[in-house]
Amino acid sequence: MSTPTGPASGLPVRMPRPRQSGRHRRPEPVVAPEGAAALVLAVPGTPSSTSRGLAEEVISIARSELPGLNALIGYVDGDDAEYPALASVIAHSAAERTARYEQALAAGREVAEPEGPAAVVVPLLAGPEGTLVRRIRQAITDSEAPAELTDVLGPHPLLAEALHVRLSEAGLARADRARLFTVATAADGIVLATVGGEEAVQAAGITGMLLAARLAVPVMAAALDVEGSVAAIADQLKGSGSLQLAVAPYLVGPEVEEGLLDAAAKEAGCASAEPLGAYPAIGKLVLSLYTSALGIAPAVAQGAQAR
């Protein structure tokens, strides 16, 4: 028999769990705001099943961090249904937003007229490859849609982490200095290879300093698309005392011409790690640029910066 204050004696009393506060409070789940601009990932290079798979994996990482995210893929050199051109993807995202607004009005719902960009375009580029960035900006103009272009992914500490992991996967660096185990093939000098000429080299140098701090070896940037640049930097490193060099591609992957990385590493006479690819940090940085552009989901953006 129950009493006015609870169940009869001897039965368990279920009490409400006190709400946590302060630093131990469980964070509220974050989802993409309804009607938020689409994230359009601008994929450079010749479209292929490889670049599509990479882009899809990057988008999957971003969606896992922000459920409900409307994310699309547009190709700088796309021209068909399988690899849609960036301009057409941006235009499509704007048309979809307009259609949703008109459908809501027709259904009698009170909705605000769409404001701000219909799409936030994030270049799948680690560094400022000027020619590609200009083409992406032109695609936005050609779409005749309200869209905002973000910066490229780097420089950023998460990219230094990704470079370190790729080098360790290739046996060219210790995975963790704290464990102090020996890697016989570990490099004592790193050529950080990028594309985009001198501007890209200067930008890569910032991430290079972060990588040098992680590896405790000298790191110097070179441009893959400038003839002889990688070999010249390799010679500088050798001249300063480095004996075993490695190339660390400061590239996501699709932006570099096929064979260019291997040819440069061969010319410099050193081994090379793999490009960054769909390393988790890439997806997190893509999302961070998107959320920063819209001023939404600060917890997600800050989390990407901290990891």
Side-chain angles (χ1 to χ4, degrees):
M1 178 177 178
S2 299
T3 68
T5 57
S9 177
L11 295 177
V13 178
R14 185 170 185 173
M15 301 296 290
R17 183 175 296 176
R19 188 175 183 178
Q20 292 178 312
S21 60
R23 61 183 294 185
H24 298 296
R25 182 176 178 181
R26 183 176 301 171
E28 296 293 330
V30 180
V31 297
E34 184 178 358
L39 188 164
V40 178
L41 188 64
V43 181
T46 303
S48 66
S49 58
T50 299
S51 64
R52 181 177 58 198
L54 189 158
E56 288 173 347
E57 193 167 346
V58 169
I59 289 296
S60 177
I61 293 166
R63 284 179 176 146
S64 70
E65 296 282 330
L66 186 63
L69 174 66
N70 178 21
L72 307 168
I73 299 171
Y75 297 85
V76 177
D77 289 311
D79 60 1
D80 56 30
E82 187 174 11
Y83 302 108
L86 179 58
S88 66
V89 172
I90 297 168
H92 177 71
S93 67
E96 276 195 329
R97 184 174 73 163
T98 300
R100 287 193 299 268
Y101 171 67
E102 293 175 346
Q103 288 170 3
L105 289 180
R109 292 171 53 195
E110 292 186 8
V111 291
E113 187 173 353
E115 296 181 352
V120 173
V121 181
V122 182
L124 191 60
L125 293 168
E129 212 290 9
T131 301
L132 286 171
V133 171
R134 285 192 293 272
R135 293 186 62 200
I136 292 170
R137 189 173 284 113
Q138 184 61 50
I140 293 174
T141 301
D142 293 344
S143 74
E144 299 182 346
E148 181 171 340
L149 177 63
T150 73
D151 289 334
V152 295
L153 304 179
H156 198 280
L158 284 178
L159 294 182
E161 171 196 300
L163 289 162
H164 186 174
V165 170
R166 290 293 184 245
L167 285 165
S168 66
E169 288 173 345
L172 300 172
R174 289 187 293 271
D176 186 351
R177 279 194 292 146
R179 294 177 186 172
L180 299 178
F181 60 84
T182 300
V183 176
T185 56
D188 59 2
I190 303 294
V191 180
L192 193 60
T194 186
V195 291
E198 188 58 34
E199 180 188 5
V201 167
Q202 291 180 3
I206 300 173
T207 301
M209 288 189 293
L210 299 172
L211 180 61
R214 295 178 68 97
L215 300 178
V217 302
V219 176
M220 296 181 67
L224 284 169
D225 50 350
V226 175
E227 187 176 356
S229 176
V230 172
I233 293 301
D235 287 342
Q236 286 188 47
L237 286 167
K238 291 174 183 176
S240 63
S242 297
L243 301 176
Q244 192 157 306
L245 304 183
V247 172
Y250 189 55
L251 309 159
V252 180
E255 70 272 40
V256 64
E257 293 181 18
E258 187 176 356
L260 192 59
L261 178 61
D262 290 340
K266 184 177 180 180
E267 182 184 3
C270 53
S272 175
E274 292 294 319
L276 300 172
Y279 186 76
I282 301 297
K284 292 173 184 177
L285 285 174
V286 165
L287 180 63
S288 180
L289 289 166
Y290 168 81
T291 55
S292 295
L294 295 180
I296 63 172
V300 175
Q302 291 169 6
Q305 298 286 338
R307 292 174 196 175

